[in-house]
Amino acid sequence: MGNAKSNQIRVAVLGARGRMGVEVCKAVDAAEDLQLVASVDVGDPLSALADAGAQIAVDFTRPDVVMDNVRFCLDHDIAAVVGTSGFDEDRFGTIRGWLQDKPGASVLVAPNFGVGAVLSMHLARQAARFFDSCEVIELHHAGKVDAPSGTAARTASLLAAARAEAGAGPVPDATTQERPGARGTDVDGIRVHSVRMPGLVAHQEVILGTEGEVLTIRHDSMNRASFMPGVLLAVRAVRDRPGLTIGLEPLLGLS
Amino acid sequence: MGNAKSNQIRVAVLGARGRMGVEVCKAVDAAEDLQLVASVDVGDPLSALADAGAQIAVDFTRPDVVMDNVRFCLDHDIAAVVGTSGFDEDRFGTIRGWLQDKPGASVLVAPNFGVGAVLSMHLARQAARFFDSCEVIELHHAGKVDAPSGTAARTASLLAAARAEAGAGPVPDATTQERPGARGTDVDGIRVHSVRMPGLVAHQEVILGTEGEVLTIRHDSMNRASFMPGVLLAVRAVRDRPGLTIGLEPLLGLS
Amino acid sequence: MGNAKSNQIRVAVLGARGRMGVEVCKAVDAAEDLQLVASVDVGDPLSALADAGAQIAVDFTRPDVVMDNVRFCLDHDIAAVVGTSGFDEDRFGTIRGWLQDKPGASVLVAPNFGVGAVLSMHLARQAARFFDSCEVIELHHAGKVDAPSGTAARTASLLAAARAEAGAGPVPDATTQERPGARGTDVDGIRVHSVRMPGLVAHQEVILGTEGEVLTIRHDSMNRASFMPGVLLAVRAVRDRPGLTIGLEPLLGLS
Amino acid sequence: MGNAKSNQIRVAVLGARGRMGVEVCKAVDAAEDLQLVASVDVGDPLSALADAGAQIAVDFTRPDVVMDNVRFCLDHDIAAVVGTSGFDEDRFGTIRGWLQDKPGASVLVAPNFGVGAVLSMHLARQAARFFDSCEVIELHHAGKVDAPSGTAARTASLLAAARAEAGAGPVPDATTQERPGARGTDVDGIRVHSVRMPGLVAHQEVILGTEGEVLTIRHDSMNRASFMPGVLLAVRAVRDRPGLTIGLEPLLGLS
């Protein structure tokens, strides 16, 4: 951990020994303006955050413990940057409730810290109203346990919402004879297809079509390091955004 | 229909008013060495083929009538080039039985007359043994009724057979949480995904992967005319191949 | 040409026998709210437009005659929708000068009427500031005479402008040994590559990259009909936009 | 370096501290049947190879020293597996001359040890005769100094040779107005385009087209480790192939 300087932001990492946590510790350590003051994982007491004087905690843990972590941060005036999955409207409601009593406190929850991934969702959402139909193909390494990816499911939901807002009806589909699963899974009326393959890392294509033309927005993430610029951006910005921030978009000037 | 010349091959088209049949009639008509002598569709008598002195019949009809058409051709010494779908080992067995009594007769049945499509299957099959895994994505216009396409299903079967021959086990897949259909349909252990979209015509990708590298073989068919070179190739070659020929591969020197 | 109805917009087409002109005539003819009142091409007098009472003229002619056509339209109170190439700041300045004396007159000049193509430029421009580098690959049929395409050159210029606005320096490039042309052509510091091939129609990829991730925005135009929705949109909107409008973007709500 | 076992092959690495050499040392070390007996780089004496009793030397050095290394190996009965660039017919002729006096000696020189890359060249070569035209796009990280890549240049040469063998004429190209470099570089009549971008690793597309259809063979190499299976394959096979072997193809059963 780097030497403390008076103007460095004091950062703690929760889930510090997980695959993402390890990368976050490295990235914080390497950043001039940040200081890694606590690395906490399963078995370590949360009190280590407070003892170390952390100003911000980055959480890449598990759905079953993340809410307790956020609660702890709020109780100890630590801003939280959360990349753990498992959030839904219920959980966001709970956090908003906690924040009512803490006007200056900040929590940022992002399903994806990849700037390119977030940007490609943002672009796809804009494009949706100009095309008759759209589908999502996501391609990941063979070790991934869930299908589709959270990002692909969220992309499909955003596409469906953008279509609804523009008054578009259901996407056209003449399929009458389908071998089970051939047409992928249906997320809010948008088809999503998941490819799993050694050699792939994390890739996603949004395909949009109208008679005579097709637009494809493809994002390729080559390694886990590609998420670190987004994490550091969130760490640096979270305290300027009191309340609950969802997603990286507002920090990128995208919404 | 062009003027007869003594050295032209006399061709009849069955299913002449269907989407493919119309293109075949045009292509035969435009070919110097071929003469379109009969255009037959629903309601027309098959006897028109014999009356017109057809030497070869091209059949793009329907699964429920194609076997009667082939039988008629064999009975009247007309070689048959068949693009109609619905063939399986039973039907091939039946045709082989008929051919035993007709040593010089020729029938060619091809599931796909696209030279590029046939070639891409051939290449994918060769590549299969060098990779740990493979999947197929096919993308077609929104009016297609079946999913996956016949070509994609056949490609998956060929990939599975090539892997089995090379002693490969099942493809790796860690998926434990799958939203129904996300991972596509399973054809002989190979996953196939079907995209349907206005603006698309007929496209297919075979993706093959091993740790660190991915090979993709993609075929784009932009219009129905792209099948005509394959149909004409078959028409010109069928009589030199007594017995039953399955697929365009042997005519292309690919097997 | 359709029957006149009192509420139809009266449209003339200049360059009516060219490849695009033919499509425009068909599209206008097929539109309920539009009436094709004059089809003019080389050798026909421009006065036919005025004689036919045209309210709007669509011009797909040639760089050497288009300025005369625009002048004629302004002199006869006909709004102009121009798809002819060869416009630069000089020509736009000339048209703006003419328009000063005609406060209610309208001219719309668009380098590309493909909604998807325009949209993909718009998206690429937004994405530019988030990536260290970008390049453009455009792929067209083998009959195209110019390389790169006008759309690709414009896309590169827009990317360069977006980077400059965000304070980005030159794109990184370590090339020291280049076989002539390998790295494409340089448009405002952005590399553009042109592929020409039978079987292709009109396609473009903008590739943007930063360490660890790549974003690709690809547009595929399958046929000339894909430009007609953009042309009709311009025809319907041009009279509501007095002065000079450049590009389809403002009509799509994209700028 | 692993413990010696009597049945292990004794391997030396030349250029052991270079980017590829480091990976080769790791891969040899990790292989049960191989033993790393010498790691030599600039400044180390070649005699270390002989002193260590190396049976095979893997050379990833530089064009200006590789010929001396090969000569040393031949003089000391060490088989050579060479991945260093800079070989041409002259050099191959020199090595063949040396080998005439050493009937049992083996040298394998491969421009590319990526199995997928070699395979994709092999497939592209087969496909060439079925299409009217073809071009190559290669995409690499922004730190690459040469353009096009050696693999892309070789792929273009192979495509040109396959076309010539099939009696094909020049590829069609109507370009009359070209901004310098837009159409890429010409390698034996085949156009090659080089993209350089942070975020990319090593990628190549061969695009082949005929009216109505396009075939694309794309290879993505995600990291340097992807070359190691090819290097180990060569190490294990080289001594069974007396004389000079060029390329990995014969070891893969591809030629």
Side-chain angles (χ1 to χ4, degrees):
Chain A
M1 299 180 191
N3 286 332
K5 292 181 200 153
S6 58
N7 60 344
Q8 283 182 315
I9 306 175
R10 302 174 63 82
V11 181
V13 176
L14 293 161
R17 293 194 293 274
R19 288 183 304 181
M20 283 295 286
V22 165
E23 295 289 331
V24 176
C25 288
K26 269 195 268 180
V28 168
D29 222 34
E32 292 273 310
D33 60 332
L34 307 180
Q35 188 191 1
L36 182 62
V37 297
S39 300
V40 173
D41 210 305
V42 178
D44 302 327
L46 280 177
S47 56
L49 271 68
D51 297 347
Q55 297 168 294
I56 296 173
V58 180
D59 188 297
F60 280 97
T61 57
R62 291 200 323 269
D64 57 337
V65 300
V66 65
M67 289 300 279
D68 287 345
N69 295 349
V70 171
R71 177 76 239 191
F72 180 91
C73 289
L74 286 177
D75 289 343
H76 294 80
D77 294 324
I78 300 169
V81 169
V82 182
T84 305
S85 61
F87 279 82
D88 53 17
E89 272 313 309
D90 273 6
R91 291 192 157 195
F92 289 139
T94 302
I95 293 176
R96 281 197 192 93
W98 293 343
L99 282 163
Q100 279 177 344
D101 306 329
K102 300 269 182 182
S106 303
V107 176
L108 182 147
V109 180
N112 194 320
F113 282 95
V115 172
V118 168
L119 180 62
S120 70
M121 274 188 269
H122 178 74
L123 301 182
R125 192 163 42 162
Q126 282 177 71
R129 69 184 167 103
F130 295 105
F131 292 90
D132 290 343
S133 187
C134 52
E135 302 198 8
V136 179
I137 305 175
E138 52 93 348
L139 312 94
H140 282 81
H141 57 91
K144 187 168 177 62
V145 295
D146 53 324
S149 69
T151 298
R154 185 154 176 255
T155 303
S157 291
L158 292 172
L159 289 166
R163 288 176 59 87
E165 201 179 321
V171 297
D173 186 351
T175 312
T176 52
Q177 305 161 33
E178 183 189 358
R179 201 171 162 130
R183 291 285 290 114
T185 195
D186 181 318
V187 176
D188 296 352
I190 304 298
R191 297 288 172 161
V192 180
H193 311 268
S194 301
V195 175
R196 296 293 173 265
M197 182 94 51
L200 291 172
V201 185
H203 317 263
Q204 181 172 303
E205 282 187 5
V206 177
I207 306 178
L208 305 109
T210 282
E211 198 53 42
E213 57 180 348
V214 174
L215 180 73
T216 305
I217 299 170
R218 179 177 173 116
H219 179 251
D220 294 277
S221 191
M222 298 306 194
N223 53 55
R224 230 162 256 127
S226 68
F227 298 112
M228 292 309 116
V231 172
L232 298 191
L233 176 67
V235 166
R236 287 166 183 139
V238 64
R239 291 184 304 169
D240 298 335
R241 309 186 61 89
L244 174 62
T245 301
I246 301 175
L248 216 56
E249 288 84 345
L251 280 62
L252 296 170
L254 293 177
S255 64
Chain B
M1 299 181 189
N3 286 332
K5 293 181 197 152
S6 58
N7 59 345
Q8 285 181 314
I9 307 175
R10 301 173 64 81
V11 181
V13 176
L14 294 160
R17 291 194 294 274
R19 289 184 303 183
M20 284 294 286
V22 165
E23 295 289 331
V24 176
C25 289
K26 269 197 267 180
V28 168
D29 222 34
E32 291 271 311
D33 59 332
L34 307 179
Q35 188 190 0
L36 181 62
V37 298
S39 300
V40 172
D41 210 306
V42 178
D44 302 325
L46 281 177
S47 57
L49 273 68
D51 296 348
Q55 296 167 295
I56 297 173
V58 179
D59 188 298
F60 280 96
T61 58
R62 292 199 322 270
D64 57 336
V65 300
V66 64
M67 290 299 280
D68 288 343
N69 294 350
V70 171
R71 178 78 238 189
F72 180 91
C73 289
L74 287 177
D75 289 342
H76 293 80
D77 293 324
I78 300 170
V81 169
V82 181
T84 305
S85 61
F87 279 81
D88 53 18
E89 272 312 310
D90 274 6
R91 289 193 158 194
F92 288 139
T94 302
I95 293 177
R96 282 196 191 94
W98 293 344
L99 282 162
Q100 279 177 343
D101 306 327
K102 298 270 182 181
S106 304
V107 175
L108 182 147
V109 180
N112 195 319
F113 282 95
V115 172
V118 168
L119 180 63
S120 71
M121 276 189 268
H122 178 73
L123 300 181
R125 192 163 42 163
Q126 281 177 71
R129 70 185 167 99
F130 294 105
F131 292 89
D132 288 344
S133 187
C134 53
E135 301 199 9
V136 180
I137 304 175
E138 53 92 348
L139 311 95
H140 282 82
H141 57 92
K144 188 168 176 61
V145 295
D146 54 324
S149 69
T151 298
R154 185 152 176 256
T155 302
S157 291
L158 292 172
L159 289 166
R163 288 175 59 88
E165 202 180 321
V171 297
D173 186 351
T175 313
T176 53
Q177 304 161 33
E178 183 190 356
R179 199 171 163 130
R183 290 284 290 114
T185 196
D186 180 318
V187 176
D188 297 353
I190 304 298
R191 296 287 172 163
V192 180
H193 312 268
S194 300
V195 175
R196 296 290 174 266
M197 182 94 50
L200 293 172
V201 184
H203 317 264
Q204 181 171 302
E205 283 187 5
V206 177
I207 306 178
L208 306 109
T210 283
E211 198 50 45
E213 59 179 347
V214 174
L215 180 73
T216 305
I217 300 170
R218 179 176 173 117
H219 179 252
D220 294 277
S221 191
M222 299 305 192
N223 53 53
R224 228 162 258 127
S226 69
F227 298 113
M228 291 311 116
V231 171
L232 297 191
L233 176 68
V235 165
R236 286 168 182 136
V238 63
R239 290 184 304 170
D240 298 334
R241 308 187 60 90
L244 174 62
T245 301
I246 300 175
L248 217 55
E249 288 85 342
L251 280 61
L252 296 171
L254 292 178
S255 63
Chain C
M1 300 178 189
N3 286 332
K5 292 180 201 153
S6 57
N7 58 345
Q8 283 181 316
I9 307 175
R10 301 173 65 80
V11 180
V13 176
L14 293 161
R17 293 194 293 276
R19 287 183 306 183
M20 284 295 287
V22 165
E23 296 289 330
V24 175
C25 289
K26 268 196 266 179
V28 168
D29 222 35
E32 292 270 312
D33 59 333
L34 307 179
Q35 188 191 0
L36 181 63
V37 297
S39 301
V40 172
D41 211 305
V42 178
D44 302 326
L46 281 177
S47 57
L49 272 68
D51 297 347
Q55 297 167 294
I56 296 173
V58 179
D59 188 298
F60 280 97
T61 58
R62 291 199 323 268
D64 56 338
V65 299
V66 65
M67 289 300 279
D68 289 343
N69 294 349
V70 171
R71 178 77 239 189
F72 181 92
C73 288
L74 286 177
D75 289 342
H76 293 81
D77 293 325
I78 299 169
V81 169
V82 181
T84 304
S85 60
F87 279 82
D88 54 18
E89 271 312 308
D90 274 4
R91 292 195 156 193
F92 289 139
T94 302
I95 294 178
R96 281 197 192 94
W98 294 342
L99 283 163
Q100 279 176 345
D101 306 326
K102 300 269 182 181
S106 302
V107 176
L108 182 148
V109 179
N112 194 318
F113 283 95
V115 172
V118 169
L119 180 63
S120 69
M121 275 188 268
H122 179 74
L123 301 181
R125 193 162 42 162
Q126 282 178 72
R129 69 184 168 102
F130 295 105
F131 292 89
D132 289 342
S133 188
C134 52
E135 300 197 10
V136 179
I137 304 174
E138 53 93 349
L139 312 95
H140 283 83
H141 57 92
K144 188 168 177 61
V145 295
D146 53 324
S149 69
T151 299
R154 187 157 177 253
T155 303
S157 292
L158 292 172
L159 289 166
R163 288 176 60 87
E165 201 181 323
V171 297
D173 185 352
T175 312
T176 53
Q177 304 161 32
E178 183 190 358
R179 200 171 163 130
R183 291 284 291 115
T185 196
D186 180 317
V187 177
D188 296 353
I190 304 299
R191 297 287 172 163
V192 180
H193 312 268
S194 301
V195 175
R196 297 292 173 266
M197 182 94 51
L200 292 172
V201 185
H203 317 263
Q204 182 173 301
E205 283 188 4
V206 177
I207 307 179
L208 306 110
T210 282
E211 199 50 45
E213 58 179 348
V214 174
L215 180 72
T216 305
I217 300 171
R218 179 177 174 116
H219 180 251
D220 295 277
S221 192
M222 298 306 193
N223 53 55
R224 228 163 258 128
S226 68
F227 298 112
M228 292 309 116
V231 172
L232 298 191
L233 176 67
V235 166
R236 286 167 183 138
V238 65
R239 291 184 304 169
D240 299 335
R241 308 186 61 88
L244 175 63
T245 301
I246 301 174
L248 217 56
E249 289 84 343
L251 281 61
L252 296 170
L254 293 177
S255 65
Chain D
M1 302 181 189
N3 287 331
K5 292 180 199 153
S6 58
N7 59 344
Q8 282 182 315
I9 307 175
R10 301 173 65 81
V11 181
V13 176
L14 293 161
R17 293 193 294 274
R19 288 183 304 183
M20 283 295 287
V22 165
E23 295 289 330
V24 175
C25 289
K26 268 196 268 178
V28 168
D29 221 36
E32 292 271 311
D33 58 332
L34 307 179
Q35 189 191 359
L36 181 63
V37 297
S39 300
V40 173
D41 210 305
V42 178
D44 302 328
L46 279 177
S47 57
L49 272 68
D51 297 346
Q55 298 168 294
I56 297 173
V58 179
D59 188 296
F60 279 96
T61 57
R62 291 199 322 269
D64 56 337
V65 299
V66 65
M67 290 300 280
D68 288 343
N69 294 349
V70 170
R71 178 77 237 189
F72 181 92
C73 288
L74 286 177
D75 288 342
H76 293 81
D77 293 325
I78 300 169
V81 169
V82 181
T84 305
S85 61
F87 279 83
D88 52 17
E89 272 312 309
D90 273 6
R91 291 193 156 195
F92 289 139
T94 301
I95 294 178
R96 281 197 191 93
W98 293 343
L99 282 163
Q100 278 177 345
D101 306 327
K102 299 269 182 182
S106 303
V107 176
L108 182 147
V109 179
N112 194 320
F113 282 95
V115 172
V118 169
L119 179 63
S120 69
M121 275 188 268
H122 178 73
L123 301 182
R125 193 162 41 163
Q126 283 177 70
R129 70 185 166 100
F130 295 105
F131 292 89
D132 288 342
S133 187
C134 52
E135 300 197 11
V136 179
I137 304 175
E138 53 93 347
L139 312 95
H140 282 83
H141 57 92
K144 188 168 177 64
V145 294
D146 54 323
S149 69
T151 298
R154 185 154 178 255
T155 303
S157 292
L158 292 172
L159 289 166
R163 287 176 60 87
E165 200 180 323
V171 297
D173 186 351
T175 312
T176 53
Q177 303 161 33
E178 183 190 358
R179 201 172 161 128
R183 292 283 291 116
T185 195
D186 180 317
V187 178
D188 298 352
I190 304 298
R191 297 286 172 163
V192 181
H193 312 268
S194 300
V195 176
R196 296 292 173 267
M197 181 93 52
L200 291 173
V201 185
H203 317 262
Q204 181 172 302
E205 283 188 4
V206 178
I207 307 179
L208 306 108
T210 282
E211 197 51 44
E213 58 179 349
V214 174
L215 180 72
T216 305
I217 299 171
R218 179 178 173 115
H219 179 251
D220 295 276
S221 191
M222 299 306 193
N223 53 53
R224 229 162 259 126
S226 69
F227 298 112
M228 291 310 116
V231 172
L232 298 191
L233 175 68
V235 166
R236 286 167 183 137
V238 64
R239 292 186 301 170
D240 299 335
R241 307 186 62 88
L244 174 62
T245 301
I246 301 175
L248 217 56
E249 289 84 344
L251 280 61
L252 296 170
L254 292 177
S255 63

